[in-house]
Amino acid sequence: MDKNVYAQGAENGVMVGVYLTVVSMLSFYGTASGVLSLLVLAMLLGFPVLLYVIERRYQRACGGCADVPALWLLGLVSTLCGSLICGLVDYAWLQWVSPGFILDQANAAIEAYEQLPEVRDTELLSSLQRAIDMGMLPTPIEFVVNMILFTTFMGSLLSLMAAFVVNWRK
């Protein structure tokens, strides 16, 4: 193997970043179309498969000698680098292309909740309305940082599971 786990993870991070960016952009526009929502769901379910393929390819390139911690680290670094790439694109999109997206989504949530009689007069709805009125919705950078942290955490868990499967199948 020519590259260590970190270098290979960073290289794979570009592919993961493109994948996550496509998922993110489709989810931003997915509220307008049921087909896009299904495509987002399919791609989210395909993410563990992507990590498995990345780790399996590394395992084969190492001649089968990569252990679970190395494979886990590979998936973690790949996901972290991919999340950073996706975060940059998402931030640019939320900041300059669609600056009102977060507010629009909050208003759409209020409209949807008002249609449900069991939720119409609850604290959830009034709390969301207060957050809008007081300007307490997350900024684009807050949204993106939370997305990066969540994606990296979930990628770490999925990578660990994939590492066990890859190591078990060698």
Side-chain angles (χ1 to χ4, degrees):
M1 186 79 206
D2 294 342
K3 297 177 185 160
N4 64 29
V5 174
Y6 299 104
Q8 189 64 43
E11 187 174 299
N12 291 332
V14 174
M15 177 176 46
V16 171
V18 169
Y19 188 90
L20 291 173
T21 300
V22 169
V23 171
S24 180
M25 289 296 125
L26 287 174
S27 67
F28 286 157
Y29 291 108
T31 57
S33 167
V35 175
L36 287 180
S37 295
L38 289 175
L39 184 57
V40 169
L41 180 61
M43 290 186 75
L44 287 173
L45 293 174
F47 187 64
V49 175
L50 176 65
L51 291 174
Y52 171 82
V53 168
I54 287 170
E55 292 176 12
R56 180 74 174 151
R57 190 179 327 143
Y58 186 78
Q59 175 79 313
R60 287 185 178 157
C62 289
C65 65
D67 57 356
V68 170
L71 294 171
W72 181 25
L73 182 61
L74 174 70
L76 175 62
V77 172
S78 298
T79 304
L80 175 61
C81 292
S83 296
L84 291 172
I85 291 168
C86 179
L88 286 171
V89 174
D90 284 354
Y91 177 74
W93 189 81
L94 289 170
Q95 186 68 31
W96 295 294
V97 176
S98 185
F101 178 78
I102 296 171
L103 178 62
D104 293 343
Q105 291 302 304
N107 285 325
I110 287 175
E111 288 177 23
Y113 285 140
E114 286 175 342
Q115 302 300 318
L116 302 171
E118 62 272 3
V119 183
R120 186 176 309 146
D121 296 323
T122 63
E123 184 62 30
L124 172 69
L125 193 58
S126 61
S127 294
L128 188 53
Q129 186 61 55
R130 260 194 321 273
I132 292 171
D133 295 341
M134 296 174 71
M136 296 177 63
L137 293 177
T139 63
I141 194 66
E142 291 169 337
F143 177 84
V144 167
V145 167
N146 284 316
M147 184 271 309
I148 290 170
L149 293 173
F150 176 76
T151 306
T152 303
F153 175 72
M154 291 308 295
S156 173
L157 294 179
L158 294 170
S159 175
L160 181 60
M161 289 187 273
F164 277 115
V165 172
V166 167
N167 203 40
W168 174 65
R169 292 198 58 196
K170 67 175 171 178

